[in-house]
Structures are given as structure tokens and as C-alpha cells.
Amino acid sequence: MPPVTLDHCVIHVTDWERSNAFYTAVMGAELIARPVGYAYRFGDRQLNVHGPGVAPAEVARLPVAPGNSDLCFEWNGPIADAVRHLERCGVDVEAGPIPRFGAKGAGTSVYFRDPDGSLMEFISYAHDPAKRPQREAAGQHDPTVLPANIPAPHDDGAARHLAGMALPDLPLLATRSGAFNLSVLGGRTILYIYPRTGVPGIDLPPGWDDIPGARGCTPQSCSFRDHFAELKALGVAHVFGLSTQDTDYQREAAERLHLPFPILSDADLKFTRALNLPTFTVAGMTLLKRMVLVIDDGVIGKVFYPVFPPDKSAAEVVAWLRRS
């Protein structure tokens, strides 16, 4: 990697006095006087500012203008403290707190605006222990339960390349009927992809409920089971689940849950690698991130990613099919 770090970026303001007050009092910036105008410094990072009297030597092809910036700042503490701070400063919160994904991973954000209308964001990576999902006792795992307050996944962009891709010519072992090559199946196929189903009474991998998007594979499978007839009535020819677990492991869940469709195994990760599907690793396992693919004659036409909550996954697909 080259030795590069972010030094500064640029915003444009229309009123120095008004913006200086906002960026110092609300955003906590150090005010830096320039020969003409000011800059706003945050530790060893800086916002250079174009404003009245400033004639920059170099500008972007579309120069930054008042109100067209979108900036995120880390709030070092609970996001509730950020909300109270904005209230004390008389700044309206436009959205949030809502889950977001930033430079340090999953966080919680609130959105507001500077005096010129540029979008500001405070993101907090602090986790409120009171809002963490309740832990199951050892040996008491119930995979059908979706705990409250499980962290939501965020769109990390890892599935944006999939729409329009043709599926690889690969057979995938199934919990019944041998194997399926999705690339040659005619008609519309719904493929829901999940990390791993749990087994009743068998403890989850350490920290599983804290991983955004990990918990809920059994509820997602049950949602497609319960909406199976509706999906077929909407013209879906095939429904499959897919994970990286082996077929024997998957068969136990498919039989226990009375799934009316096969579950496919990509235990060797060939399908995953061919499509560059998003994955994560836990307890030595490479697992797929949750998503749903709508496939027409072997070509991906629609991608649902991220999927949350998982127990509403099939209903979301049904709603999309009805609109399409």
C-alpha cells in the first residue's frame, strides 16, 4: 500500500461569521485564520474553506459550492450524547439515530445540516450494552428465535457488481434431487443466500449475535417456506437456499424445518469465488453474507442486499415481484 493518508478536504460557505460559529460550537473545530478566510481543523485533519473573498488557485472540475458537501465526523461516545449536543446547540436532527457503516465498521449515525445546507453526519462506534441482544444460556440455543436488538447489516457495496452477471456453469450438491446447475435452469429462480443455520441446543460460534447480519438463518429459511406457494403463484419456477455448509449438515435443517425446496451447498467455495460473493470469517469458517438473488434464465436480474430483518426476507421478495 502507498504511504497515503487523508490530509484535508474542501467545503464552501457563504457567511464566515455564521459558519465559523457552527463549525466551532457544533462540530468542535479549531478555527484557523488564513490570509483570507479561515480553515476548520480537527486534530491532524482539516477542512479548507472556500468563501467570501477566497479565490482558490485550483478547483475541482465541478467546484464545491455552498450546500453541496456531505461530511461525516466520528462522535467519540454514545450517539444519544450527540443528539443531546445538537439539541443544546439548536440544530435539528434530520434523520437518525440509524445504523450506518463507516471507516471503523458498523456504527450509529445522526444527520443534520450546516448553515448552508451541506449534509453533516455524526457516527458513533460506541455500543450501548443495554441494547445488545440477550444471550442464550449455554446449551439452550433455539435457531427459530430472532433476538431483539441484533445489529443490522450495512450496504458495504460488496454486491453491487452482481446484477446482470451470468451464473457460473457449476453443479451444486443439494439436500435432495442430487445436484443443480443454476446456470442452465429456465425461468425465474429465487436463490436466498445465508451464512449458516444453527442446530437446537448447540451453542452458536462465539460473538455470533454481535456480527451484523449473522443471526437469523433459520427464520429466513422459514420465511421462504411459508411464502413458497405465493412465490410459485407469482411465476417463480425454482426456489433454493445456499450456504457454504456441507450437504449433510444442511439436510438436517431442511428436514427439521420441512422446507419444500432444496438447499444447495457451496462448501468448496467455487460458486462464491466465481461470482465474488461477499463473505466473512468466524471460528475458522468462511461464510456467505445474507442476500437474495432473482435469476432469470441463468442471469442475475435483481439483488437484495443487505437483507434485514431476515424473517421478512421472503415477504420483501414477494412485494417486489408484485410490483414488477
Side-chain angles (χ1 to χ4, degrees), residues 65-190:
N68 76 349
S69 296
D70 184 345
L71 303 171
C72 180
F73 298 82
E74 181 180 355
W75 179 272
N76 292 298
I79 199 65
D81 290 351
V83 173
R84 286 190 287 269
H85 167 71
L86 293 171
E87 290 173 348
R88 287 193 298 268
C89 293
V91 176
D92 293 332
V93 173
E94 287 201 1
I98 49 180
R100 283 294 180 261
F101 193 86
K104 294 183 179 180
T108 306
S109 293
V110 291
Y111 292 88
F112 53 101
R113 295 190 183 273
D114 82 349
D116 289 296
S118 286
L119 186 65
M120 302 284 112
E121 176 185 353
F122 281 148
I123 185 169
S124 169
Y125 299 103
H127 298 289
D128 183 352
K131 294 184 178 180
R132 296 179 68 182
Q134 185 176 358
R135 296 296 183 268
E136 295 172 314
Q140 298 299 311
H141 175 53
D142 183 350
T144 66
V145 171
L146 195 62
N149 301 320
I150 54 173
H154 306 277
D155 190 353
D156 56 7
R160 292 176 187 167
H161 65 288
L162 292 172
M165 289 188 69
L167 296 186
D169 182 11
L170 291 171
L172 296 167
L173 289 177
T175 52
R176 65 186 193 202
S177 302
F180 291 85
N181 186 335
L182 302 184
S183 70
V184 299
L185 290 183
R188 173 161 282 178
T189 297
I190 302 296

Side-chain angles (χ1 to χ4, degrees), residues 75-321:
W75 179 272
N76 292 298
I79 199 65
D81 290 351
V83 173
R84 286 190 287 269
H85 167 71
L86 293 171
E87 290 173 348
R88 287 193 298 268
C89 293
V91 176
D92 293 332
V93 173
E94 287 201 1
I98 49 180
R100 283 294 180 261
F101 193 86
K104 294 183 179 180
T108 306
S109 293
V110 291
Y111 292 88
F112 53 101
R113 295 190 183 273
D114 82 349
D116 289 296
S118 286
L119 186 65
M120 302 284 112
E121 176 185 353
F122 281 148
I123 185 169
S124 169
Y125 299 103
H127 298 289
D128 183 352
K131 294 184 178 180
R132 296 179 68 182
Q134 185 176 358
R135 296 296 183 268
E136 295 172 314
Q140 298 299 311
H141 175 53
D142 183 350
T144 66
V145 171
L146 195 62
N149 301 320
I150 54 173
H154 306 277
D155 190 353
D156 56 7
R160 292 176 187 167
H161 65 288
L162 292 172
M165 289 188 69
L167 296 186
D169 182 11
L170 291 171
L172 296 167
L173 289 177
T175 52
R176 65 186 193 202
S177 302
F180 291 85
N181 186 335
L182 302 184
S183 70
V184 299
L185 290 183
R188 173 161 282 178
T189 297
I190 302 296
L191 178 68
Y192 73 91
I193 297 171
Y194 61 91
R196 65 185 297 277
T197 51
V199 177
I202 304 299
D203 292 342
L204 294 168
W208 184 259
D209 284 355
D210 294 323
I211 301 171
R215 182 72 182 257
C217 301
T218 293
Q220 185 185 23
S221 290
C222 291
S223 78
F224 279 94
R225 176 197 66 195
D226 296 343
H227 286 276
F228 180 72
E230 195 172 2
L231 290 165
K232 298 291 284 186
L234 289 167
V236 174
H238 310 280
V239 176
F240 299 99
L242 172 75
S243 77
T244 59
Q245 310 316 115
D246 63 48
T247 301
D248 287 340
Y249 183 101
Q250 293 172 332
R251 188 175 289 114
E252 184 278 331
E255 293 175 353
R256 171 168 44 86
L257 299 175
H258 305 289
L259 300 182
F261 47 79
I263 301 297
L264 308 178
S265 174
D266 188 33
D268 58 10
L269 300 177
K270 289 181 180 179
F271 187 83
T272 297
R273 290 169 180 152
L275 288 175
N276 192 25
L277 297 176
T279 63
F280 65 103
T281 302
V282 62
M285 300 178 290
T286 299
L287 304 175
L288 288 159
K289 293 186 178 181
R290 193 182 315 282
M291 68 176 64
V292 179
L293 305 181
V294 180
I295 303 159
D296 292 304
D297 299 321
V299 177
I300 300 170
K302 170 69 176 175
V303 181
F304 294 86
Y305 179 86
V307 171
F308 193 83
D311 60 338
K312 304 299 183 185
S313 180
E316 184 181 11
V317 174
V318 166
W320 179 82
L321 290 171

